[in-house]
Amino acid sequence: MSIKDFIINEIDKLPPLPKTVQELKISYEDDNSTAQDLENIIKKDPVLVVDILRLANSPYYGFSHEIHDLRHAIVLFGFDEIINFAIYSALEKSFEFDLSPYSINELDFLNLSILKQNISKKFFKENKNLSILLKSSSFLSDIGKIVLAKYAKENSILIVEEEKSLKDIDNIEKERLEYDTIDVSCLIFEKWNFDKKFIDIIYNSKKCSQNEVSNYLNSIRNIVTIKANILDTENVECIDKEIIANAL
């Protein structure tokens, strides 16, 4: 099977977003929604409650005390990050997380997603809408690796062994697999009927863009490595290197 047919087949097999996650998205887009509304929706799915608390207690966040209460997690992280956790939970249940072709495991991938999100929080502090778009796209932009890793494993392809930036790995993916992470991530979000603006931000992060959010995402993926480390800002493209350096 060609990689194109493989990717199409894997994405076609994706189930719809769980009903609870769909309800969360609708509630999130309602300006009148409260933390109580969010909590009531999540509590209808006990497995999701467990997953959100597990993700909230990731060692990468560095909290000194464990978070046991869903309301506490919602207030601490905010609506947008809780939604990201819910989507990540759905991904875990929809795909087999074997990222060995990238020389990482599932925990490494979670840490990578959290690091990108944490860097993104430093930007657009005066613009809530742009801040939310950047945080969400930063946290979720690399999910395409799950599909590419499955193809690579089935075909005995090692995508990367040495620690490299996510942008460098995009280029390696193109050379060895014809598609890169961003291509596949956008196809997944299209399947799940995500907002076109969100998908365009991720797709346009492949290169310098007129979209400022895409440019920040491009820069974040330029300095973050597959092992969740930060490179020197010398490799940053598209925007002022000093801005990125001051945010780290």
Side-chain angles (χ1 to χ4, degrees):
M1 182 185 296
S2 71
I3 185 166
K4 179 179 179 180
D5 289 340
F6 179 90
I7 292 170
I8 292 172
N9 185 55
E10 286 296 304
I11 293 176
D12 280 347
K13 290 190 301 185
L14 267 178
L17 274 177
K19 183 179 179 181
T20 305
V21 180
Q22 294 183 40
E23 290 179 10
L24 282 173
K25 286 183 66 180
I26 293 171
S27 178
Y28 177 65
E29 292 162 1
D30 182 352
D31 292 337
N32 296 317
S33 289
T34 65
Q36 183 66 61
D37 295 328
L38 213 62
E39 182 180 7
N40 290 341
I41 293 171
I42 295 170
K43 279 187 172 180
K44 292 189 291 185
D45 186 342
V47 175
L48 181 57
V49 173
V50 171
D51 282 348
I52 286 176
L53 291 177
R54 173 176 57 83
L55 293 168
N57 283 294
S58 169
Y60 213 84
Y61 283 114
F63 295 124
S64 57
H65 301 289
E66 187 171 355
I67 301 167
H68 297 284
D69 180 69
L70 179 60
R71 172 66 69 88
H72 183 199
I74 292 171
V75 172
L76 185 62
F77 285 94
F79 284 21
D80 46 318
E81 290 188 44
I82 293 296
I83 294 289
N84 289 342
F85 288 165
I87 295 168
Y88 191 92
S89 169
L91 286 166
E92 288 182 315
K93 292 169 177 57
S94 301
F95 290 109
E96 177 187 352
F97 264 70
D98 184 345
L99 293 157
S100 54
Y102 290 94
S103 302
I104 61 172
N105 57 33
E106 184 177 349
L107 179 58
D108 295 327
F109 185 76
L110 175 59
N111 290 341
L112 168 64
S113 301
I114 293 171
L115 174 61
K116 289 184 295 168
Q117 179 178 256
N118 285 346
I119 296 173
S120 75
K121 292 178 184 178
K122 308 295 179 65
F123 309 111
F124 299 120
K125 291 182 178 178
E126 304 303 319
N127 189 319
K128 180 182 177 182
N129 291 333
L130 294 184
S131 175
I132 289 170
L133 281 171
L134 182 58
K135 282 192 289 186
S136 296
S137 60
S138 296
F139 188 78
L140 298 169
S141 56
D142 280 272
I143 64 169
K145 284 183 170 55
I146 302 165
V147 175
L148 292 178
K150 184 174 181 180
Y151 178 86
K153 185 175 181 182
E154 290 184 5
N155 291 274
S156 301
I157 300 170
L158 180 63
I159 299 173
V160 62
E161 187 171 9
E162 299 177 354
E163 185 168 15
K164 294 181 180 294
S165 76
L166 298 176
K167 292 291 290 183
D168 285 341
I169 293 172
D170 289 344
N171 295 329
I172 294 171
E173 291 166 343
K174 278 287 191 183
E175 291 172 4
R176 299 182 183 177
L177 304 172
E178 299 180 43
Y179 292 83
D180 62 35
T181 288
I182 296 299
D183 293 332
V184 182
S185 295
C186 289
L187 289 173
I188 292 171
F189 292 127
E190 286 175 4
K191 168 72 174 182
W192 275 347
N193 296 315
F194 272 62
D195 187 82
K196 186 177 184 299
K197 181 189 295 185
F198 176 80
I199 296 171
D200 286 346
I201 283 171
I202 293 179
Y203 187 78
N204 289 329
S205 73
K206 288 162 70 80
K207 57 186 179 181
C208 294
S209 165
Q210 293 183 341
N211 186 298
E212 192 175 8
V213 181
S214 295
N215 279 347
Y216 277 114
L217 178 58
N218 175 292
S219 296
I220 290 169
R221 296 185 75 252
N222 241 312
I223 59 173
V224 171
T225 74
I226 192 70
K227 297 284 189 179
N229 290 310
I230 299 175
L231 296 173
D232 190 278
T233 56
E234 180 181 350
N235 294 318
V236 174
E237 296 178 353
C238 304
I239 59 174
D240 193 327
K241 296 176 184 178
E242 186 176 349
I243 295 175
I244 290 287
N246 290 339
L248 300 177

